[in-house]
Amino acid sequence: MGIAENVAAVRARIEAAAGGRRVLLVAASKMNGADRVREAVAAGVDACGENRVQELVEKRAAGAYEGAGLHFIGHLQRNKVKYLVGGGVGLIESVDSVELLGDISARAQRLGVVQDVLLEVNIAGELSKSGVSPERLPELLDFAAAQEGLRVRGLMAIPPISVIPGANRPYFARMYELFVDIGGKKYDNTSMDFLSMGMSGDFEDAIAEGANMVRVGSAIFGARDYGAGR
Ligand SMILES: *Cc1c(COP(=O)(O)O)cnc(C)c1O
């Protein structure tokens, strides 16, 4: 199947899982060239999500994302913030430290813009993963509340890769609890609008547990070929 058919099939599955709720579809477009990304955009994904700043910069220059939103979803190094803020990246989904919040705020203020971000939560407590622990979220929210030039729009999580259907549901459910809890607390600069969780293998479970943004790669673009090229 082609990219357009895949996007339509993913949309249909999202709708079936969402029961009338609106769920945004972010195409996780890493390792797919500008032409393929443009196909996904033409097929109507809401946004594209990139993992690597260098790849985003190259594909952005090639006009890959025109007509859709652009999110950054990968591990972000502080010295790369300058390539994202003010560069058409509507949402940085993967902010997990006060240092990054500070850098984003400083850069945004210098440019006179407001950068929307999500806080990435390491919901399964995996040592190998980025993301802030649930216990440390209040520290980031307190810090963000005092920063100009940014808004926290919600939470993002990447639970473990699982081959067992439904295995991640408890993590998704815990994320939804955090999302609702923070939303009730009225932090400055924060509105819990987006809960980004769910990938090709588990987005229906994530939606059932309250996700309103899913990041889908291989179900749209096919399996990634890690052996080729890069
Ligand atoms: C690659 C990636 C996805 C999508 O993964 P698939 O399993 O291919 O759908 C989602 N989120 C992040 C952060 C990713 O890096």
Side-chain angles (χ1 to χ4, degrees):
M1 282 213 297
I3 289 169
E5 288 91 338
N6 289 344
V7 169
V10 168
R11 280 280 189 207
R13 288 169 58 191
I14 288 174
E15 268 173 37
R21 280 189 297 125
R22 179 156 162 70
V23 175
L24 296 175
L25 173 57
V26 179
S29 43
K30 56 176 172 276
M31 302 178 73
N32 285 278
D35 288 345
R36 293 172 59 77
V37 175
R38 268 192 290 269
E39 275 187 62
V41 170
V45 300
D46 294 297
C48 299
E50 287 293 349
N51 287 71
R52 293 173 53 175
V53 171
Q54 176 70 28
E55 194 177 332
L56 180 151
V57 166
E58 286 169 18
K59 282 147 77 172
R60 181 173 63 195
Y65 312 116
E66 276 159 33
L70 175 58
H71 296 184
F72 187 75
I73 63 176
H75 179 66
L76 181 55
Q77 290 166 295
R78 295 180 62 185
N79 62 356
K80 303 271 174 71
V81 163
K82 59 177 177 280
Y83 299 108
L84 302 185
V85 177
V89 179
L91 193 62
I92 302 176
E93 297 199 22
S94 41
V95 176
D96 64 356
S97 70
V98 293
E99 289 80 9
L100 267 179
L101 285 168
D103 290 346
I104 290 168
S105 166
R107 181 74 184 168
Q109 287 182 71
R110 193 170 318 146
L111 298 174
V113 299
V114 175
Q115 177 66 56
D116 283 355
V117 306
L118 303 183
L119 299 180
E120 180 180 347
V121 182
N122 186 347
I123 194 62
E126 295 172 278
L127 291 175
S128 60
K129 286 243 176 93
S130 38
V132 64
S133 67
E135 294 71 32
R136 290 196 51 224
L137 259 180
E139 186 185 325
L140 268 65
L141 288 160
D142 282 334
F143 186 84
Q147 304 300 304
E148 288 178 33
L150 64 77
R151 283 187 305 183
V152 177
R153 301 291 305 275
L155 304 177
M156 182 270 237
I158 312 173
I161 301 290
S162 171
V163 289
I164 305 165
N168 280 332
R169 282 189 77 137
Y171 295 126
F172 294 141
R174 179 84 185 97
M175 283 298 300
Y176 186 71
E177 276 175 29
L178 291 169
F179 180 73
V180 170
D181 183 52
I182 294 165
K185 284 193 172 137
K186 308 268 179 278
Y187 287 94
D188 284 349
N189 287 343
T190 294
S191 57
M192 286 288 114
D193 299 318
F194 303 119
L195 180 56
S196 174
M197 57 186 192
M199 320 202 319
S200 293
D202 57 16
F203 66 84
E204 283 136 320
D205 285 342
I207 291 167
E209 297 294 349
N212 62 10
M213 182 180 286
V214 294
R215 308 176 310 272
V216 178
S218 48
I220 290 176
F221 296 107
R224 288 178 289 276
D225 182 1
Y226 287 98
R230 34 191 332 134

